[in-house]
Amino acid sequence: MSDRAPVAMSATLAADEELTRRRAAGERVLSLAGGEIGLPVLPVLAERLAAAAGRNAYGPVTGDRALRAAAAGYWGRRGLPTDPGLVVCGPGSKPLLFALMLAAGGDVVVPVPSWVSYGAQAALAGGRALPVAVRPGEGGVPDPDALVRAVTRARAAGRDPRCVVVTLPDNPSGTIAPAATVRRLAEAARELDLVVVSDEIYCDLVFDPADRAVSPAVFAPERTVVTTGLTKNLALGGWRTGVARLPDSGLGHTLHARLAGVASQIWSSTAAPVQTAAAYAFEEPPEVVARVAASLRLHEVVVRAVARQFTAAGADLPPARATCYLYPDFEPLRQRLTRVHGVRGSGELAQLLSHRYGVGVLPATAFGEAERPLRIRAATGRLYGESDAERDIALTAADPLRLPWVSACLDRIAEVLGDLTGRPVPDAAALPH
């Protein structure tokens, strides 16, 4: 057996583990690398989970009837009428995405930049990633015209691209592709007979309702699979639950059967107690709606504050519109970064921030970009406090930026960016909103 792993460890998880080790060793570190949302569990969901602890049978491969019905209702309220019989649940949207690549087969078109695991999952599924750049400010959706050219060339060269993955809203940039681009992407997928896998796990984390992401399932309903979960909107990453919505078409029914087969061989069924709590969450009772709204407000206040800091330091940055992610570009500061710090690419920039300053971020290379661009991803979801008590206070604070533990994190970011760029960076609370 080869001693070489088929893919590297997830960049986000590797960064998290390193920072955890360094913190345990007594180092001063600030985690802006991982995508975990640092918020406590909504008590009513914990109660539902505990009450279902006695459920120890496997249950249906595709998920409990109650969870599939609740997920169908969740999508229906967002303009996507859904047959519960075409919903599949799994232990997180991440394994569902991988299983969908297995079910579709072939190579996978991925946006550049895109989430760290799409390309790795394509390789694990036996295919290859076919990278296609996004349009400026329209992260998560490959440029449709470039997509057509790339797929046409790939097929002429003997490759077999069969699906395209999109992310709405986007990770890593926190931007949202406009409806016109999504429509053209859907049309291109139809022309090329591609399955569209739409990762919409961030759809509840859009700051302005007018910016709501439009799913490609609206424009190509017969070939679009939608995935989501409770990892981001309700901070339940450790509970590992996700759902996929398959299209009501011949293609969709074929994919559903294949996906169920893959699930039966890999995870058998999702943890039954978690399904009970997830069904309640997807029904969106008032307390769940209120928690998502409070979380969204907190994300917006903090991520926009950190965005102001990056902008004050001289980095280019698209407006923060969703999620708790930022993707600043330090190209305007290249000359200083090279001269003073010896930084020539994103990997060196991320390494400098980590090793010298104890600030964990991810380089653009983790998202499929070349080394030269001076872009990094910063995630603000762990700046809300070190304990559940602090995080609960942050959720309800009139001005979270004034909380001592949040303010201390922002002060540290200002200090690091000031030293890095040679520009004075005010603390975020002092910057104009």
Side-chain angles (χ1 to χ4, degrees), residues 161-388:
R162 297 189 197 175
C163 71
V164 53
V165 179
V166 302
T167 317
L168 292 159
D170 179 44
N171 172 11
S173 70
T175 59
I176 305 169
T181 297
V182 177
R183 179 192 293 274
R184 177 60 191 129
L185 181 283
E187 292 169 348
R190 183 177 290 123
E191 294 165 10
L192 297 165
D193 194 24
L194 296 173
V195 174
V196 180
V197 178
S198 187
D199 181 353
E200 300 182 12
I201 199 162
Y202 300 102
C203 74
D204 292 337
L205 299 183
V206 177
F207 304 144
D208 185 342
D211 281 343
R212 185 178 67 89
V214 180
S215 175
V218 172
F219 305 115
E222 82 286 356
R223 64 184 56 253
T224 300
V225 182
V226 179
T227 65
T228 193
L230 304 175
T231 300
K232 306 303 179 182
N233 63 350
L234 285 167
L236 297 177
W239 287 19
R240 309 312 303 141
T241 182
V243 286
R245 173 192 184 273
L246 284 296
D248 191 1
S249 64
L251 173 62
H253 286 268
T254 297
L255 281 172
H256 180 272
R258 291 179 179 176
L259 179 60
V262 171
S264 74
Q265 300 292 355
I266 296 180
W267 62 75
S268 300
S269 64
T270 305
V274 173
Q275 290 192 64
T276 298
Y280 185 79
F282 277 117
E283 288 170 355
E284 299 185 290
E287 61 269 36
V288 168
V289 172
R291 169 54 70 89
V292 173
S295 303
L296 178 60
R297 175 183 172 274
L298 178 60
H299 296 326
E300 180 180 10
V301 169
V302 175
V303 79
R304 285 187 165 164
V306 177
R308 293 193 296 272
Q309 292 183 304
F310 279 116
T311 301
D316 286 336
L317 187 66
R321 298 173 64 195
T323 78
C324 54
Y325 300 136
L326 297 169
Y327 202 54
D329 188 346
F330 285 80
E331 184 62 34
L333 298 160
R334 177 178 291 278
Q335 185 175 6
R336 173 184 166 81
L337 292 175
T338 300
R339 175 174 52 84
V340 176
H341 302 291
V343 167
R344 295 174 176 82
S346 68
E348 293 175 341
L349 178 56
Q351 188 175 58
L352 174 68
L353 286 166
S354 175
H355 292 179
R356 179 177 297 181
Y357 301 105
V359 176
V361 297
L362 292 184
T365 51
F367 302 95
E369 297 213 64
E371 169 60 28
R372 178 174 171 78
L374 288 173
R375 288 185 281 273
I376 58 170
R377 193 201 70 176
T380 61
R382 289 187 172 176
L383 303 184
Y384 309 141
E386 292 294 324
S387 67
D388 280 352

Side-chain angles (χ1 to χ4, degrees), residues 14-90:
D16 282 345
E17 289 193 3
E18 179 189 357
L19 291 168
T20 298
R21 285 194 299 269
R22 292 172 61 182
R23 181 179 286 110
E27 291 187 49
R28 181 187 186 187
V29 296
L30 183 63
S31 179
L32 299 176
E36 185 165 358
I37 307 298
L39 291 172
V41 175
L42 181 64
V44 69
L45 296 181
E47 293 164 6
R48 297 270 169 165
L49 181 69
R55 295 191 59 199
N56 62 338
Y58 283 119
V61 170
T62 57
D64 289 350
R65 183 187 298 271
L67 174 54
R68 290 186 285 109
Y74 169 91
W75 276 307
R77 290 186 292 276
R78 286 154 180 79
L80 296 178
T82 300
D83 178 356
L86 287 170
V87 173
V88 176
C89 77

